[in-house]
Amino acid sequence: LGELLDSLANNAITSAQAKQLLIEFMDGETRSTAELIKAYGWKVLDDDSLIRQIAKDILDKHPKEVSGYLKGQARRLNFLIGKTMQATKGQARPQDVSRIVKELLESASAD
């Protein structure tokens, strides 16, 4: 459990990945945290420029949701964040995705 918490604290895994590992351990998994991370091929996507490009592609593919958000439909933000998280296969930190999507939407509203 300590290795799991260390991996989470050191940003080696996301909170969603940590939750999945915790479930694995509770189900009797005996491999170490590092072994499971390697087996699942998990890594944290922390390249802001890559996340920004992915988010921009999502916004480009969903102009209706972007327009709705810009017209005050705040719930559209969660849709766009969710689609971006899905596109990163959950490997980006949700707080990073949220920040970047908000920045892109703010720049779109300034246009």
Side-chain angles (χ1 to χ4, degrees), residues 64-69 73-81:
K64 182 179 175 185
E65 282 74 16
V66 171
S67 177
Y69 176 80
Q73 297 174 355
R75 62 186 170 81
R76 305 285 182 147
L77 176 63
N78 290 334
F79 172 83
L80 295 166
I81 291 170

Side-chain angles (χ1 to χ4, degrees), residues 27 36 54 57-58 65 75 79 87 99 101:
D27 286 343
L36 287 172
I54 292 168
D57 291 344
I58 295 298
E65 282 74 16
R75 62 186 170 81
F79 172 83
R99 175 181 49 81
V101 169

Side-chain angles (χ1 to χ4, degrees), residues 66-105:
V66 171
S67 177
Y69 176 80
L70 296 176
K71 291 177 182 173
Q73 297 174 355
R75 62 186 170 81
R76 305 285 182 147
L77 176 63
N78 290 334
F79 172 83
L80 295 166
I81 291 170
K83 285 293 188 183
T84 305
M85 287 297 298
Q86 185 179 36
T88 68
K89 298 182 175 92
Q91 292 185 333
R93 289 186 292 269
Q95 61 270 27
D96 291 342
V97 170
S98 179
R99 175 181 49 81
I100 289 169
V101 169
K102 286 177 184 176
E103 288 171 1
L104 290 171
L105 288 168

